[in-house]
């Protein structure tokens, strides 16, 4: 079946450090891929998405590229800020069901 | 559009009481999802609807939980009787699967339920 695996957290970085959160997936066909972010006390909100192989999603300085050959969608940011502290979820869309399959989430803490 | 609307935002109740959570999806969306989030179990899909019809309720933990979607603009999740282990944040989300759309789900702000 379809699944998403994220690197375990928590990830603790200093401000302005480089961020990578790994995400790999197993899926039938070519699903869309997503990164969601959840700030403390809030719901999940879409951070970025990619709908086909080699697409790069980007938003707020974050980027992720849909790599079919490695079945990966790693999240990167060149310089993190304290305000980026949140939980990040990688997800894929199940074809024909509308469902999203989520990874377990990775907590990022950025210290000043 | 106002986004997905959930009410109440916070609910505190005593064990054994009935709890009803409410959700209004984004207009025009054909799928609605109910999730539960806890520290121990993370984000869990409880049930989802397509065009108001329940498609998969395999994530509903037990018979105390029930969900309905009487029309395209309203859904409820009911717990009767509630237990302390039901304490969690419950999210509602909706999406559109129209051709050309990516199945992005839009989440509500959640209902934080505490059962004493």
């Amino acid at each position: 079946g379809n699944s998403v695996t994220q690197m375990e957290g928590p990830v603790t970085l200093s401000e302005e450090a480089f961020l990578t959160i790994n995400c790999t997936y197993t899926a039938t066909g070519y699903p869309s891929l997503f990164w969601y972010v959840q700030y403390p006390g809030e719901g999940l909100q879409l951070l970025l998405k990619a709908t086909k192989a080699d697409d790069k999603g980007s938003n707020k300085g974050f980027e992720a590229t849909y790599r079919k050959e490695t079945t990966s969608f790693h999240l990167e940011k060149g310089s993190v800020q304290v305000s980026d502290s949140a939980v990040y979820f990688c997800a894929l869309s199940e074809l024909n069901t509308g469902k999203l399959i989520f990874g377990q989430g990775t907590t990022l803490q950025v210290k000043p | 559009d106002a986004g997905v609307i959930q009410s109440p935002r916070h609910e505190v109740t005593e064990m054994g009481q009935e709890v009803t959570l409410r959700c209004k999806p984004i207009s025009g969306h054909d799928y609605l999802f109910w999730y539960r989030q806890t520290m121990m179990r993370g984000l869990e899909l409880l049930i989802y609807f397509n065009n108001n019809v329940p498609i998969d309720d395999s994530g509903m933990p037990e018979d105390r939980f029930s969900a309905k979607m009487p029309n395209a603009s309203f859904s409820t999740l009911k717990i009767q009787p509630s237990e302390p282990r039901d304490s969690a944040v419950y999210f509602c989300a909706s999406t559109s699967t129209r051709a050309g759309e990516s199945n992005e789900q839009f989440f509500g702000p959640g209902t934080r339920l505490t059962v004493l």
Side-chain angles (χ1 to χ4, degrees):
Chain A
N2 297 333
S3 67
V4 175
T5 302
Q6 290 180 234
M7 65 186 285
E8 289 193 20
V11 174
T12 302
L13 295 174
S14 298
E15 208 166 20
E16 299 184 2
F18 184 85
L19 168 70
T20 299
I21 301 178
N22 290 337
C23 171
T24 57
Y25 67 91
T26 303
T28 304
Y30 302 104
S32 294
L33 300 175
F34 306 85
W35 277 101
Y36 279 80
V37 59
Q38 184 179 27
Y39 298 103
E42 298 184 11
L44 280 72
Q45 54 186 275
L46 181 69
L47 179 59
L48 53 85
K49 65 183 180 184
T51 58
K52 60 183 187 297
D54 299 326
D55 267 4
K56 178 185 283 188
S58 62
N59 186 27
K60 299 181 181 180
F62 291 88
E63 293 183 339
T65 301
Y66 191 143
R67 301 284 189 199
K68 189 179 69 170
E69 62 276 12
T70 55
T71 62
S72 65
F73 193 55
H74 304 321
L75 182 68
E76 296 182 336
K77 187 175 185 182
S79 176
V80 294
Q81 305 300 313
V82 172
S83 57
D84 294 327
S85 299
V87 182
Y88 293 81
F89 293 90
C90 184
L92 65 83
S93 63
E94 249 190 13
L95 297 177
N96 303 319
T97 70
K99 283 175 62 176
L100 290 182
I101 307 300
F102 284 92
Q104 72 269 36
T106 302
T107 300
L108 170 66
Q109 183 178 25
V110 180
K111 296 187 173 181
Chain B
D1 201 313
V4 176
I5 299 172
Q6 291 187 247
S7 64
R9 292 293 310 277
H10 302 274
E11 176 81 29
V12 179
T13 191
E14 293 188 346
M15 183 174 62
Q17 296 298 305
E18 178 180 294
V19 175
T20 299
L21 312 181
R22 298 173 175 79
C23 176
K24 176 177 167 49
I26 292 174
S27 177
H29 281 188
D30 54 346
Y31 277 85
L32 183 141
F33 304 83
W34 282 101
Y35 293 89
R36 178 173 69 176
Q37 187 178 40
T38 61
M39 290 292 291
M40 289 295 294
R41 301 174 68 94
L43 189 67
E44 303 173 276
L45 176 63
L46 301 178
I47 184 172
Y48 73 100
F49 296 82
N50 176 221
N51 293 322
N52 314 336
V53 176
I55 302 300
D56 183 355
D57 66 354
S58 60
M60 297 284 261
E62 45 196 279
D63 291 346
R64 298 185 295 106
F65 285 69
S66 62
K68 294 182 180 180
M69 192 166 185
N71 58 61
S73 59
F74 184 65
S75 177
T76 59
L77 178 67
K78 186 177 292 187
I79 309 172
Q80 165 64 17
S82 58
E83 297 183 2
R85 60 194 167 120
D86 302 330
S87 298
V89 182
Y90 291 81
F91 290 105
C92 177
S94 68
T95 191
S96 169
T97 56
R98 285 189 292 269
E101 305 220 17
S102 62
N103 292 11
E104 170 191 348
Q105 287 187 15
F106 294 81
F107 280 75
T111 295
R112 182 173 295 276
L113 173 65
T114 302
V115 183
L116 303 175

